[in-house]
Amino acid sequence: MKALLCKQFGPPETLVVEDIEGPPLAADQIRIDVHAAAVNFPDSLIIENKYQTKPELPFSPGGELSGVIAEVGRDVTHLKVGDEVIAFTAYGAFAEQVVAGADRVIPKPGGVDHVTASAFVMTYGTSYHALMDRAGLQTGETVLVLGASGGVGLAAIEIAKACGAHVIAAASSAEKLAVCTEHGADDTINYAEADLRDEIKRLTDGRGVDVVYDPVGGALTEAGLRSCAWRGRHLVIGFAAGDIPAPPLNLALLKGCSIIGVFWGRFVATEPRQNAADLKALFGLLADGKLKPHIAGTYPLARGGEAIAALANRAVSGKLVITPRSES
C-alpha cells in the first residue's frame, strides 16, 4: 500500500510517498481501506517531534479518517467487513490502509460522505468537549472564538449557536470573518486591524465575555483573558501561533475566572462513555442540519505535505482532507 511517510523529523516538505507493507492485525483491531483523512494542526507538530504523541520513525501522520472495513480481528464482534466507519488513530491515517483498535472505530452515519465524515470527529469533538463538558456553556452566554475561521473555530461557532449562545468571532482578515458569519457568528473582530480588547468592550457594553475559546495562544491569550467577564472561563485549546503564553495569573484572581485546559485525545481515552455521549449529541446536531463542516479542499496523497503546510500556515478556513485513493 502507499503511505505518506515521515522518515526524518522536519517540515511538511520532507514527507515522502512510498509503498510499504501493511501492519499485521491483532485480535482486537480492524483494518480499514482509507477513503478520506482530515488534516489537523497536530499533524504539523507530530512530524517535527513537537507533539505529545511521539511515534517511532518512519510513520505516517494523520489522526482521523473515514473508510471501509477490509478485515476484522477475531475478537471484534460489533463491526464487520464492508462497514463504512470513522476512526481516530493519533497517526497513520495518511495511507491507503490503516490498522486501528476496535475501540477507536465507530460506524459512519448514513447520508454523510467520506470526506465530510473524516473531517468531523476531531474538530467537532474537541469543540463540544471544550464548550459543553469543560466550560458548561449556558444559553444566553457570550462566547469569544479566537482563530475563528479554522476547523475547530468554525466548529465552536456552530456548536455555541446551536446551544443558544451569542458568538463573537475573531480572525485576521475580512475573508476569514466572512466565513465565520456564514457559519453563524453574531459579531466579528478583525484583530489585524482593530484592538481586540477595545472591540470586545464595545460589543459587550464593557461586561466582557463568558467564555473564551482559544486555539491560538501567543499574544491573543492575554487579551482574551483580560476580556473575560466575572466568573468567565478561558479555554486553552492549543497554540497555533507557535508561542505558549504565560499570562499574569492575577487576572484570574481579579476576575474570578477560570483557565481551563482542553485535551480531547486524553478525554477520549479516559472518559469513553462521556465521549460516546458527546458524539451521539453531535451526530444528532449534524443530522438536524445545525452543523455544517466546511471543507476548504481535498488533496491526493502525493500532495499531502502541501495540505499540512497550508493548515499550519493558517492559509485556509475550515478543514483540508487527503484522499489516499485518488490520483488528483
Side-chain angles (χ1 to χ4, degrees):
M1 69 170 185
K2 286 184 169 56
L4 183 69
L5 294 179
C6 175
K7 302 181 75 173
Q8 59 181 17
F9 293 116
E13 54 265 29
T14 63
L15 300 174
V16 296
V17 175
E18 292 186 1
D19 283 301
I20 63 171
E21 291 292 326
L25 192 71
D28 61 347
Q29 290 181 322
I30 294 172
R31 192 183 310 278
I32 303 168
D33 289 332
V34 181
H35 286 247
V39 182
N40 292 285
F41 186 67
D43 298 322
S44 67
L45 300 177
I46 199 170
I47 63 174
E48 297 199 43
N49 201 27
K50 296 178 179 178
Y51 194 55
Q52 297 97 317
T53 302
K54 298 184 182 296
E56 294 183 5
L57 296 171
F59 69 93
S60 174
E64 63 176 340
L65 64 102
S66 179
V68 179
I69 294 179
E71 185 181 1
V72 298
R74 65 175 181 271
D75 292 344
V76 179
T77 58
H78 66 295
L79 294 166
K80 65 183 185 302
V81 172
D83 284 353
E84 296 188 335
V85 293
I86 298 170
F88 21 103
T89 59
Y91 58 92
F94 297 160
E96 291 180 327
Q97 278 192 338
V98 69
V99 168
D103 60 341
R104 309 284 285 182
V105 180
I106 60 175
K108 179 175 74 67
V112 181
D113 63 88
H114 284 296
V115 169
T116 301
S118 76
F120 185 77
V121 171
M122 188 174 291
T123 49
Y124 283 87
T126 296
S127 295
Y128 192 93
H129 170 55
L131 292 170
M132 306 311 295
D133 297 331
R134 303 294 283 140
L137 181 64
Q138 301 295 310
T139 299
E141 289 192 312
T142 298
V143 178
L144 169 67
V145 181
L146 301 175
S149 68
V152 292
L154 292 178
I157 290 171
E158 292 182 351
I159 291 167
K161 288 303 299 178
C163 295
H166 183 95
V167 177
I168 301 172
S172 60
S173 74
E175 293 77 14
K176 291 179 178 180
L177 290 172
V179 176
C180 297
T181 300
E182 291 173 6
H183 285 259
D186 298 289
D187 296 301
T188 60
I189 300 172
N190 184 338
Y191 47 62
E193 297 181 352
D195 183 86
L196 180 64
R197 289 185 62 205
D198 287 347
E199 287 298 292
I200 292 169
K201 288 179 181 178
R202 180 180 66 82
L203 292 171
T204 64
D205 294 325
R207 178 182 175 275
V209 296
D210 299 293
V211 176
V212 177
Y213 184 96
D214 181 6
V216 179
L220 292 179
T221 292
E222 184 172 333
L225 188 59
R226 288 183 181 276
S227 299
C228 277
W230 178 251
R231 291 184 179 268
R233 290 88 79 200
H234 188 115
L235 298 169
V236 181
I237 312 296
F239 312 103
D243 295 327
I244 298 177
L249 290 183
N250 67 306
L251 294 174
L253 182 154
L254 295 171
K255 291 177 172 291
C257 67
S258 303
I259 301 172
I260 302 174
V262 179
F263 186 1
W264 181 76
R266 178 73 180 273
F267 165 70
V268 170
T270 57
E271 300 183 50
R273 289 187 179 180
Q274 185 59 51
N275 178 57
D278 286 0
L279 291 179
K280 182 178 180 180
L282 283 169
F283 286 138
L285 292 172
L286 181 65
D288 290 341
K290 294 182 178 180
L291 305 179
K292 299 177 181 178
H294 180 75
I295 311 299
T298 60
Y299 289 71
L301 202 59
R303 296 179 57 208
E306 293 178 41
I308 296 172
L311 192 74
N313 294 330
R314 299 158 71 185
V316 296
S317 297
K319 296 294 292 281
L320 297 176
V321 175
I322 293 172
T323 51
R325 295 173 180 273
S326 68
E327 297 297 327
S328 60

